[in-house]
């Protein structure tokens, strides 16, 4: 794929490549596989449609706009479809008064969303890249997160959902590749969600838009086109704050979220070639705040070992919070030190991106280290 784009003298797509996703066992390729999930019981008798992740995000917003007359979608370029095409066709369908462009000001986008939500409307705001969310940091952590608390429950901004593309794409560099979930996980009053696939993206986004708390919804942009599933066409929500056990295992618990799960899937397969019979329990955390402590700790109590992987830097990354909580709750059950496979503590490098983020090799080495301790 890379050589094709090089030969055509055209740049790789903005959302990058992620080899192996098309053949991943985590992807639901058929109608039957998609609807086997008990969390989709409400649409189990409905139709499914092949969608990639950006189409699933678009479908979720379309349903939200159709079912809530107060809902609006706004952000930089969203009326034109957005950089990643997530809002394609929405302004034509629902009108420019409900899907509209904003000035190039993240602080203004967040502040407008807070005001809109405070008046009882549903605000679906887009920050064009997660790297650009920091000008809005004060609005989100000092205003949105504390709105209900400081008013004693009299006012709230529960109708606010901030969507933002995040993560590495192979050529994004330090201003288009960051995964800043840990910055917001430190803030009581916010929810932080990261989906791994189209089915998850649609259900979790609808739940985030309708949740009565401000939610930051971080979309791994490398999955916008790479991940394709049979997605229920109906209206459904997936639970926030609930992890999903993707594979059952007895020897090692592995926790990840977003695009990193596909790296971990490949790492597990590589490790199993070296250690035949290795049984791994793979968990998609899905919600960073609140996170599902019980599911993770129950798994570690069973396996005795834990590996956590994420694209954000290691120091003060969310893996540290998971590791500390597991140490407090599962100390006597642990058979090995907890492994953290994370990006390095440097600004995100352009030419060294493939060495910066945890890849299949590094994660497989972490698995081997945990098992051979």
């Amino acid at each position: 794929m890379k050589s094709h784009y090089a030969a055509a003298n055209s740049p790789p797509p903005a959302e990058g490549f992620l080899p192996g996703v098309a053949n991943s066992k985590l992807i639901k390729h058929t109608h039957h596989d998609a609807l086997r999930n008990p969390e989709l019981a409400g649409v189990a008798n409905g139709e499914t449609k092949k969608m990639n992740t950006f189409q699933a995000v678009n479908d979720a917003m379309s349903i939200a706009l159709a079912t809530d007359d107060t809902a609006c979608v706004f952000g930089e370029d969203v009326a034109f479809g957005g950089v990643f095409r997530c809002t394609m066709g929405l302004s034509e369908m629902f009108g420019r008064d409900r899907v509209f462009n904003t000035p190039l000001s993240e602080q203004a986008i967040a502040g407008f969303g807070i005001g809109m939500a405070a008046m009882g409307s549903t605000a679906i705001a887009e920050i064009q890249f997660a790297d650009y969310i920091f000008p809005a940091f004060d609005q989100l952590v000092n205003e949105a997160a504390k709105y209900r608390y400081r008013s004693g429950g009299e006012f709230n901004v529960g109708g606010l959902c901030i969507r933002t593309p995040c993560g590495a794409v192979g050529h994004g560099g330090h201003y288009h590749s960051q995964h800043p979930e840990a910055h917001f996980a430190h803030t009581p009053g916010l929810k932080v969600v990261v989906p791994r696939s189209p089915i998850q993206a649609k259900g979790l986004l609808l739940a985030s838009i309708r949740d009565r708390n401000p939610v930051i919804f971080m979309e791994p942009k490398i999955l916008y086109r790479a991940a394709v599933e049979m997605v229920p066409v109906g209206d459904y929500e997936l639970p926030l704050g609930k992890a999903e056990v993707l594979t059952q295992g007895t020897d090692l618990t592995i926790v990840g979220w977003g695009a990193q799960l596909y790296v971990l899937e490949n790492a597990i397969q590589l490790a199993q070639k070296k250690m035949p019979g290795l049984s791994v329990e793979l968990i998609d955390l899905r919600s960073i705040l609140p996170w599902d402590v019980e599911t993770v700790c129950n798994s570690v109590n069973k396996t005795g070992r834990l590996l956590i992987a994420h694209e954000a830097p290691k120091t003060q990354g969310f893996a540290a919070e998971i590791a500390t909580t597991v140490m407090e709750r599962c100390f006597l059950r642990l058979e090995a030190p907890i492994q953290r496979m994370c990006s390095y503590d440097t600004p995100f490098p352009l030419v060294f991106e493939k060495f910066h983020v945890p890849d299949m090799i590094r994660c497989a080495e972490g698995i081997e280290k945990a098992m051979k301790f």
Side-chain angles (χ1 to χ4, degrees), residues 340-353:
R340 287 183 290 161
M341 300 292 109
C342 311
S343 291
Y344 296 113
D345 292 335
T346 70
F348 211 99
L350 177 58
V351 295
F352 298 120
E353 178 174 320

Side-chain angles (χ1 to χ4, degrees), residues 320-372:
E321 171 64 26
I322 298 172
T324 301
T325 301
V326 170
M327 282 288 290
E328 291 171 348
R329 296 194 175 206
C330 311
F331 180 75
L332 295 177
R333 300 289 296 174
L334 287 172
E335 301 289 343
I338 296 170
Q339 301 297 311
R340 287 183 290 161
M341 300 292 109
C342 311
S343 291
Y344 296 113
D345 292 335
T346 70
F348 211 99
L350 177 58
V351 295
F352 298 120
E353 178 174 320
K354 65 180 180 180
F355 303 110
H356 183 67
V357 297
D359 61 4
M360 174 181 68
I361 302 298
R362 187 146 42 113
C363 291
E365 290 172 349
I367 293 172
E368 191 171 359
K369 186 175 180 181
M371 294 307 302
K372 292 186 176 180

Side-chain angles (χ1 to χ4, degrees), residues 105-148:
S105 173
E106 286 76 21
Q107 186 178 27
I109 293 169
F112 178 81
I114 289 168
M116 185 178 175
M119 298 305 294
S121 296
T122 298
I124 308 167
E126 179 182 295
I127 302 296
Q128 198 167 83
F129 286 86
D131 311 67
Y132 301 154
I133 203 169
F134 298 110
F137 198 74
D138 178 63
Q139 290 282 1
L140 294 173
V141 305
N142 271 334
E143 302 300 333
K146 299 174 175 64
Y147 213 92
R148 180 185 286 116

Side-chain angles (χ1 to χ4, degrees), residues 98-241:
R98 298 186 65 196
V99 181
F100 50 88
N101 294 333
T102 65
L104 302 180
S105 173
E106 286 76 21
Q107 186 178 27
I109 293 169
F112 178 81
I114 289 168
M116 185 178 175
M119 298 305 294
S121 296
T122 298
I124 308 167
E126 179 182 295
I127 302 296
Q128 198 167 83
F129 286 86
D131 311 67
Y132 301 154
I133 203 169
F134 298 110
F137 198 74
D138 178 63
Q139 290 282 1
L140 294 173
V141 305
N142 271 334
E143 302 300 333
K146 299 174 175 64
Y147 213 92
R148 180 185 286 116
Y149 179 81
R150 72 176 186 171
S151 71
E154 189 172 348
F155 307 109
N156 73 84
V157 292
L160 175 65
C161 178
I162 304 284
R163 292 180 42 251
T164 186
C166 66
V169 297
H171 53 268
H174 53 293
Y175 288 141
H176 296 84
S177 301
Q178 295 174 82
H179 219 300
E181 68 272 17
H183 291 277
F184 297 101
H186 191 64
T187 307
L190 296 177
K191 292 189 176 184
V192 182
V193 180
V194 187
R196 71 171 186 273
S197 71
I199 291 173
Q200 296 290 312
K202 179 178 175 179
L204 290 171
L205 180 54
L206 277 168
S208 297
I209 292 169
R210 293 163 174 170
D211 194 88
R212 292 298 88 192
N213 298 279
V215 180
I216 298 177
F217 191 83
M218 307 182 75
E219 301 164 8
K221 54 186 173 286
I222 201 168
L223 299 178
Y224 275 144
R225 286 176 172 79
V228 180
E229 286 186 309
M230 296 301 293
V231 180
V233 298
D235 185 342
Y236 67 93
E237 298 176 27
L238 293 173
L240 304 185

